[in-house]
Amino acid sequence: MDCVFCKIIKGEIPSSKVYEDEKMIIIKDINPQTPIHLLMIPKEHFKGVAEMSAKQSVILGEMFKRLGELERELGLKDGYRIIVNKGENGCQTVPHLHVHILGGKKLNEQMV
């Protein structure tokens, strides 16, 4: 598979990893839009929310639960925004589901 996130997960491409467990990794975005801009990526490859299986949806739910437990450790205790882009019109540039986590400052309502 020629997926950049799969290669990052396998260690074939370097990344600024801030967290890893058996289900996911969290890395720093290489083009940050806010002081804290992280990507939460499931280790199992699936393109997006429309393509995920019931098992994958459970994993995604567990990832969000773990994110809530990591808020303080990741510097997100004062709040953050989570975004999942889907498809070309949604600006999904890597066809592997991933969650953008934006924080580190007061976000305006127009910022997406």
Side-chain angles (χ1 to χ4, degrees), residues 26-46:
I26 300 177
I27 63 173
K28 293 181 180 179
D29 192 290
I30 61 170
N31 185 25
Q33 304 299 306
T34 56
I36 300 172
H37 186 167
L38 306 171
L39 300 176
M40 184 170 67
I41 308 165
K43 287 187 171 179
E44 184 174 339
H45 180 91
F46 53 102

Side-chain angles (χ1 to χ4, degrees), residues 46-94:
F46 53 102
K47 185 176 179 179
V49 293
E51 294 81 14
M52 70 180 158
S53 68
K55 176 185 164 219
Q56 291 165 332
S57 70
V58 170
I59 291 170
L60 187 59
E62 291 170 347
M63 290 169 50
F64 279 111
K65 171 111 174 66
R66 186 67 182 131
L67 175 61
E69 297 165 354
L70 294 168
E71 288 176 354
R72 188 169 298 278
E73 182 180 326
L74 297 174
L76 299 167
K77 65 180 178 11
D78 294 324
Y80 53 95
R81 181 171 293 158
I82 53 177
I83 299 170
V84 177
N85 298 330
K86 173 66 172 102
E88 185 178 339
N89 285 350
C91 298
Q92 182 181 13
T93 57
V94 178

Side-chain angles (χ1 to χ4, degrees), residues 8-11 15 17-27 41 43 66 70 73-74:
I8 288 171
I9 290 163
K10 291 178 189 171
S15 67
K17 196 180 306 179
V18 297
Y19 177 79
E20 181 174 15
D21 64 24
E22 66 281 350
K23 294 183 175 105
M24 69 168 169
I25 63 168
I26 300 177
I27 63 173
I41 308 165
K43 287 187 171 179
R66 186 67 182 131
L70 294 168
E73 182 180 326
L74 297 174

